[in-house]
Amino acid sequence: MGEKFEVVGHNERKVDGTALVQGKPVFVADLPERAGTLHLALKTSPHPHARIRAIDTSAAEALDGVALVMTHENTPDRPYTTAGQGYPEPSPYDTRMFSPKVRFIGDRVAAVAADTLETARAALDLIHVEYEVLEPVLSIDEALADGAPLVHDEPLSDAWQADRNIAAYSEAVAGDVEAGLASADASVDVTVETHYGQHAPIEPHVVSSYLDEHDRLVLVSSTQVPFHARRIIGYLLDVPVHRIRVIKPRIGGGFGVKQEVLLEDLLALTTLRTGRPASMIYTREQEFYASRTRHPMRVRMRLGADADGTIQAIDMDVISNTGAYGTHSLTVLSNVGSKTLPMYNLAPNIRFIGRAVYTNLPVAGAYRGYGATQGQYAMEVAIDQLAGKLGMDPLEVRSKNHIREGGTSPIFRELGEGREGVEQTIGSCELPACIELGAERIGWANKRGQRRREGSWVYGVGMSIHMQGSGIPLIDMAAASIKLNDDGSINLAVGATDLGTGSDTVLGQIAAEVIGIPLAKVIVTSSDTDLTPFDTGAYASSTTYVSGTAVRKAADEVRGQLVAAAAEMLDADPAELEVADEQITAPDGRSVTLEKIALRSLYGANQHQIAATASSVPEVSPPPFIASFAEVAVDTDTGHIHVLDYVVAADCGTAVHPRLAEGQVEGAVANGIGYALSEDLAIDDRGRARGVDFGRYKIPVTLDLPMIETVLVDSYDPTGPMGAKSIAEIGINAPLPTIANAVHDATGIWLTQSPYTAERVWRALREEGIDASEV
Amino acid sequence: MRLSFTLNGGSVETDVAPGATLMELLRGLGAVSVKDGCARGDCGSCAVLLDGRAVTACLLFAGQVEGLRITTAEGLADEVGLHPLQQALLEAGGVQCGFCTPGILMAAADLLEREPEPTEAQVRVGLAGNLCRCTGYVKIVEAVQDAAAMMASATPVAEGEEVGHG
Ligand code: FES
Ligand code: FES
């Protein structure tokens, strides 16, 4: 603690910011189109569940300008997963490029590559498909019913029980939960249900492809996982990895949806078959119904506590709807427990059982929060209910039970990402400060329990506390390379993927700090499988912590080489040299600049490239923590919820770039408020997503949100680079329970089903016998 | 169809297919700051200034701009440097992925033209047509107010008093 930093901890200018505010061509779709580019369009299934009896593409193929029509009849029949995860992926290989059986409205039927997009779209209409319509599975309950139709009736060995529509199963047990519940002085039993939400990055999925001058396949993709994309495409299309290059330019947001290898296969096959460049952009509608979503879940939470509020037993039963394919089904499921249960680690009796089921509904996948969102909703509402039963302040119940520095939980070991987890002891936890600061700022003491009324509006405050992780221990791997240039600047090459979070800036700051140079002297290159070293990718809140550690290690090595060279030049003891301000100084005041060292090492004596590559494989995943507080007003006339004030106090360890860290919290909370109140794919009773444009899928606009305030508390994690932990995901978990708890404070109703639409709230108010006339 | 208009201060004469949108036309001319986020008027990422007023380029036909003056994010900076709005967005941390940024700049430029010292509420109304999925808008709203302050202090006092509204 107490380390002083020159670059880290400062609000440096974002390294890509100047280009972005000028609208420079930095996104995939902005890059100049290559001559002869083919444009792809996709035909998707109108049925939730059907077998393709026959498909006739002859008319489409005959259309002038059409170069290729792809269906299950002429593409590789190789099972794989679209999940951009480490190898071997913990997701079932239940997907094919094109399948003779379609499993949701939006599933791939055919793709056309043509000279123009208009021609490609026209050709889609000429493809004749004969379907044998099958009975669909349109809910969790239908999936688990006896004799339910099977979403996957093909041989499928790595799903949990495909013959019962169960894609994945996960469990963990410590102590005796039934005995703990039976002997509790107070207990609660609450079930929450969450709905289909979508990431809605403003830039949809977009990929272009071409063969380079050596006939290697190049994919330029808005991906969070360029190295996984390369590996998966190589496997799927039987192309050696060394024949593929994946380039990630700037990305217009991802939030997990670009952790999928969703379009690359179509582009790659088109270019390999035709030799021509190709490009494809999902339409906004396709982005909604045919990409990935948040797993809808039903989570039952039972808690038992002593009369003094000490939690003795936690029982968590989860059913997750993974949709038609099991991408991320197991890992999101286990995360529901592993990111929720350790928070209340005093409880000796814990049980977690989770099942992920297949349905003929849109496919769920990785989405910021990654299961923690659903699990912590159930937990944090249950904690408020428990506080009510005990007659205690919810703050007090949480303060009494939450995990602390030096604490651990058996869940860390029991529940990993699709396999056993890793034991860890918490090295930093400033939750007490977060709770105190947040409560003070929202005015908890004065506002809680007041049920203030104004006309038909009632007011309340609510809160919840949250944790996430920082990367996946013993699975994630990141590498960074640094080399010194003539003028004392450095190139920093990282496989880490900046998807808009600012990670290029944060990683550049870490390198600059160690080497003693300003950020302006760091040239950051991120994510080109030919040019940058490996990184598992931007997911699981890994970049600052895992990739940042790789950068710190590489920078340490370069710093060592600089010091060695300076020691030669100054004829001094390396141990006594000081590195700062672009120079290295001896105790007697003599110094050499990094530029001089660079020139000497490149052109003068003892010539060599000062450079290093280092890797990081984390052994632990230190959780960031937040305390989230909101004040809401509920209109008892209409059921409308207005979020008046929102405060998050966060412990992310050292904030490498405080303003970017605040921005991560604010963006995540905004997304969470949207999910809680208005965003809904709105699946109809035929299994069709209705909320497929921004008119109907309502993400928050400026008018829907208060000035979300982020307070970063002082913290330092001993294992993180310069003390840093993650911050990007955690905030999205907060609004569901914080708003539900605030609405309860205002009205006495419990919101256990999302989204909290005005109609749903209105009905709940009427059921409680609360209406405007009461005011 | 032959079309002529002014784009970021330069005159443009070009052929355009009937039915082409202004967004398609501008992107085709290399003004790729005009982003396609929805192609149906919902997201504001394609916003441009048409004779100084922010409009969504995906909803206009190219033919509608004959003889008019168009500014895109590419044309916001001048020889002296970045526009105060661009600077303020950078400083405040209002840029994350940056995909919405050009559209936000256009809407904000229009707003500051009409309302040089907007309140937070006025900024929120002015940007209500622009979706940003990354920031939660906090730092964008702050940046617009910062830019307004920057522009006000750059205006000579005497002149400011004369043209001030009051
Ligand atoms: S692209 Fe024009 S408003 Fe979305
Ligand atoms: S910064 Fe990414 S959408 Fe606004």
Side-chain angles (χ1 to χ4, degrees):
Chain A
M1 279 250 207
E3 266 183 80
K4 276 271 167 278
F5 299 121
E6 297 296 327
V7 189
V8 163
H10 297 260
N11 291 318
E12 300 281 342
R13 184 167 277 199
K14 204 163 172 283
V15 295
D16 52 351
T18 308
L20 290 169
V21 295
Q22 293 176 280
K24 293 267 169 77
V26 295
F27 297 96
V28 178
D30 300 344
L31 304 174
E33 185 173 306
R34 289 171 181 262
T37 291
L38 292 168
H39 298 266
L40 271 69
L42 191 65
K43 190 176 187 71
T44 57
S45 169
H47 303 292
H49 200 190
R51 231 174 267 287
I52 297 176
R53 277 252 189 76
I55 185 161
D56 181 358
T57 58
S58 52
E61 276 157 6
L63 188 68
D64 206 25
V66 169
L68 181 67
V69 179
M70 291 173 272
T71 69
H72 70 273
E73 291 178 343
N74 66 351
T75 53
D77 178 31
R78 178 173 277 198
Y80 75 114
T81 175
T82 56
Q85 299 177 298
Y87 176 81
E89 305 90 340
S91 294
Y93 277 25
D94 58 9
T95 306
R96 283 168 174 70
M97 265 190 89
F98 292 91
S99 164
K101 183 171 140 168
V102 287
R103 295 182 176 83
F104 72 102
I105 296 178
D107 209 354
R108 286 179 179 182
V109 173
V112 173
D115 290 343
T116 67
L117 188 54
E118 291 66 39
T119 306
R121 286 186 176 151
L124 292 182
D125 293 334
L126 301 175
I127 297 172
H128 185 73
V129 190
E130 212 178 293
Y131 294 101
E132 175 194 344
V133 174
L134 304 171
E135 194 191 331
V137 173
L138 296 179
S139 70
I140 283 174
D141 294 318
E142 285 180 31
L144 292 173
D146 282 338
L150 294 182
V151 178
H152 288 273
D153 53 359
E154 75 279 16
L156 181 54
S157 60
D158 55 355
W160 180 256
Q161 286 172 342
D163 57 352
R164 292 176 56 214
N165 283 327
I166 301 179
Y169 178 83
S170 174
E171 66 171 14
V173 177
D176 183 340
V177 84
E178 291 301 342
L181 286 169
S183 63
D185 296 322
S187 62
V188 294
D189 181 346
V190 59
T191 299
V192 303
E193 290 211 35
T194 61
H195 66 292
Y196 267 109
Q198 213 267 335
H199 317 60
I202 309 299
E203 176 203 45
H205 283 80
V206 49
V207 184
S208 61
S209 58
Y210 57 92
L211 295 178
D212 71 7
E213 59 276 26
H214 308 294
D215 282 337
R216 292 173 71 232
L217 174 67
V218 182
L219 295 164
V220 185
S221 174
S222 66
T223 179
Q224 294 173 227
V225 286
F227 288 90
H228 296 335
R230 181 179 66 168
R231 188 192 77 239
I232 290 169
I233 293 303
Y235 165 78
L236 181 63
L237 302 182
D238 223 352
V239 180
V241 157
H242 75 268
R243 301 294 299 164
I244 307 173
R245 175 180 184 185
V246 178
I247 299 170
K248 175 228 65 111
R250 307 322 299 165
I251 310 179
F255 318 109
V257 79
K258 292 173 181 170
Q259 198 195 332
E260 294 282 311
V261 182
L262 208 57
L263 303 183
E264 287 89 344
D265 58 327
L266 298 173
L267 280 302
L269 195 64
T270 299
T271 291
L272 291 171
R273 290 238 171 117
T274 64
R276 290 171 64 178
S279 97
M280 181 173 185
I281 308 177
Y282 251 177
T283 64
R284 180 54 58 189
E285 291 203 354
Q286 288 170 333
E287 188 66 33
F288 276 115
Y289 70 74
S291 67
R292 297 293 177 257
T293 62
R294 187 185 291 291
H295 292 80
M297 290 190 195
R298 181 183 298 157
V299 183
R300 181 180 180 197
M301 182 72 76
R302 294 194 296 160
L303 300 179
D306 293 342
D308 73 352
T310 309
I311 298 172
Q312 292 296 346
I314 309 176
D315 187 24
M316 196 172 183
D317 191 311
V318 181
I319 310 175
S320 168
N321 171 8
T322 191
Y325 298 99
T327 171
H328 297 273
S329 55
L330 174 60
T331 39
V332 166
L333 179 66
S334 51
N335 238 43
V336 179
S338 69
K339 296 290 184 283
T340 300
L341 293 164
M343 179 64 93
Y344 300 106
N345 68 327
L346 299 184
N349 308 298
I350 305 173
R351 181 169 61 193
F352 172 80
I353 293 177
R355 288 168 290 172
V357 301
Y358 286 122
T359 58
N360 294 113
L361 292 170
V363 184
Y367 190 159
R368 196 179 205 175
Y370 206 79
T373 309
Q374 297 93 323
Q376 293 174 8
Y377 173 28
M379 177 64 96
E380 291 301 302
V381 168
I383 294 283
D384 260 42
Q385 294 193 351
L386 183 67
K389 288 238 167 125
L390 290 162
M392 287 171 71
D393 185 330
L395 293 186
E396 199 189 336
V397 175
R398 289 184 173 86
S399 297
K400 207 173 184 95
N401 288 284
H402 75 67
I403 197 165
R404 281 162 206 267
E405 200 174 302
T408 184
S409 160
I411 294 298
F412 288 134
R413 185 187 62 241
E414 294 292 322
L415 275 181
E417 289 258 337
R419 63 183 202 194
E420 268 206 353
V422 175
E423 253 177 85
Q424 67 173 345
T425 302
I426 298 298
S428 59
C429 177
E430 298 299 332
L431 256 184
C434 292
I435 293 173
E436 196 186 316
L437 282 166
E440 196 182 300
R441 167 58 189 76
I442 204 80
W444 187 265
N446 300 327
K447 291 178 177 166
R448 177 77 181 177
Q450 299 303 309
R451 297 227 171 138
R452 182 167 69 85
R453 288 163 183 275
E454 239 171 68
S456 60
W457 293 87
V458 283
Y459 295 77
V461 292
M463 64 89 61
S464 55
I465 59 176
H466 303 273
M467 59 178 281
Q468 198 81 33
S470 300
I472 313 171
L474 300 183
I475 291 181
D476 277 345
M477 191 288 236
S481 293
I482 296 175
K483 74 176 170 64
L484 183 70
N485 297 315
D486 308 35
D487 61 350
S489 68
I490 59 166
N491 287 100
L492 168 65
V494 288
T497 315
D498 190 338
L499 56 146
T501 53
S503 67
D504 281 0
T505 305
V506 163
L507 297 177
Q509 284 177 276
I510 292 171
E513 183 70 46
V514 173
I515 294 174
I517 58 178
L519 181 60
K521 286 280 190 76
V522 183
I523 307 151
V524 185
T525 305
S526 76
S527 301
D528 177 331
T529 56
D530 270 10
L531 304 179
T532 59
F534 181 83
D535 191 295
T536 40
Y539 56 86
S541 287
S542 60
T543 305
T544 299
Y545 184 75
V546 184
S547 310
T549 299
V551 171
R552 200 210 65 221
K553 287 164 80 176
D556 275 338
E557 283 185 40
V558 164
R559 180 189 165 108
Q561 295 172 27
L562 288 166
V563 167
E568 281 173 28
M569 293 164 77
L570 294 170
D571 195 17
D573 177 358
E576 293 189 329
L577 296 180
E578 205 171 288
V579 183
D581 299 330
E582 301 185 73
Q583 52 188 2
I584 297 184
T585 310
D588 59 12
R590 288 175 307 128
S591 67
V592 283
T593 62
L594 296 200
E595 184 177 4
K596 286 239 169 63
I597 299 174
L599 287 171
R600 177 175 183 265
S601 72
L602 294 172
Y603 306 106
N606 185 15
Q607 277 167 276
H608 68 292
Q609 170 71 63
I610 291 180
T613 296
S615 307
S616 148
V617 180
E619 289 176 1
V620 291
S621 176
F625 296 95
I626 62 170
S628 153
F629 292 80
E631 180 175 15
V632 302
V634 182
D635 187 345
T636 50
D637 260 352
T638 63
H640 186 83
I641 298 172
H642 192 178
V643 179
L644 301 169
D645 194 6
Y646 209 111
V647 184
V648 173
D651 163 9
C652 61
T654 300
V656 177
H657 191 301
R659 204 161 282 155
L660 286 176
E662 291 164 11
Q664 285 303 306
V665 173
E666 290 151 10
V669 166
N671 191 330
I673 292 175
Y675 182 60
L677 298 184
S678 59
E679 298 178 20
D680 191 357
L681 269 192
I683 313 285
D684 69 13
D685 54 11
R686 286 201 52 238
R688 181 183 297 277
R690 291 288 169 192
V692 293
D693 54 57
F694 285 130
R696 285 173 287 184
Y697 189 93
K698 295 216 169 288
I699 77 172
V701 301
T702 45
L703 299 174
D704 300 322
L705 297 171
M707 272 297 196
I708 299 160
E709 186 180 328
T710 314
V711 185
L712 299 173
V713 304
D714 269 346
S715 174
Y716 186 96
D717 192 87
T719 66
M722 279 83 183
K725 302 187 282 190
S726 85
I727 190 67
E729 287 188 89
I730 185 168
I732 205 167
N733 306 326
L736 276 176
T738 290
I739 294 173
N741 291 341
V743 169
H744 182 263
D745 184 50
T747 66
I749 62 169
W750 288 112
L751 294 171
T752 53
Q753 184 159 10
S754 65
Y756 313 149
T757 57
E759 184 189 334
R760 184 166 282 144
V761 174
W762 185 88
R763 282 182 197 288
L765 289 169
R766 292 306 171 276
E767 267 168 41
E768 265 315 280
I770 302 165
D771 59 45
S773 61
E774 203 185 304
V775 190
Chain B
M1 188 169 84
R2 200 75 189 153
L3 192 66
S4 59
F5 59 96
T6 310
L7 175 59
N8 296 327
S11 49
V12 176
E13 264 207 59
T14 181
D15 282 319
V16 51
T21 65
L22 179 60
M23 175 170 77
E24 288 160 352
L25 172 72
L26 293 173
R27 287 190 62 84
L29 290 170
V32 294
S33 73
V34 183
K35 297 283 184 265
D36 180 356
C38 71
R40 45 162 277 162
D42 289 333
C43 74
S45 54
C46 64
V48 301
L49 295 178
L50 191 61
D51 277 357
R53 287 287 161 272
V55 295
T56 43
C58 68
L59 287 186
L60 289 178
F61 287 116
Q64 291 173 273
V65 302
E66 172 65 38
L68 299 182
R69 186 166 47 87
I70 296 177
T71 307
T72 67
E74 283 93 345
L76 211 49
D78 57 22
E79 317 75 54
V80 188
L82 296 178
H83 187 279
L85 275 167
Q86 293 172 310
Q87 270 176 42
L89 268 180
L90 279 178
E91 298 305 328
V95 181
Q96 285 190 28
C97 79
F99 197 83
C100 69
T101 305
I104 299 256
L105 284 166
M106 296 295 108
D110 179 0
L111 170 69
L112 293 189
E113 181 69 28
R114 287 178 283 121
E115 185 52 68
E117 287 172 56
T119 61
E120 183 203 323
Q122 286 172 319
V123 175
R124 287 187 180 272
V125 171
L127 299 184
N130 294 77
L131 298 181
C132 173
R133 191 55 153 172
C134 299
T135 63
Y137 306 106
V138 176
K139 291 174 169 33
I140 292 175
V141 171
E142 285 170 356
V144 174
Q145 291 193 290
D146 292 349
M150 254 188 251
M151 288 160 79
S153 66
T155 313
V157 177
E159 190 190 324
E161 279 170 359
E162 272 177 33
V163 299
H165 27 212

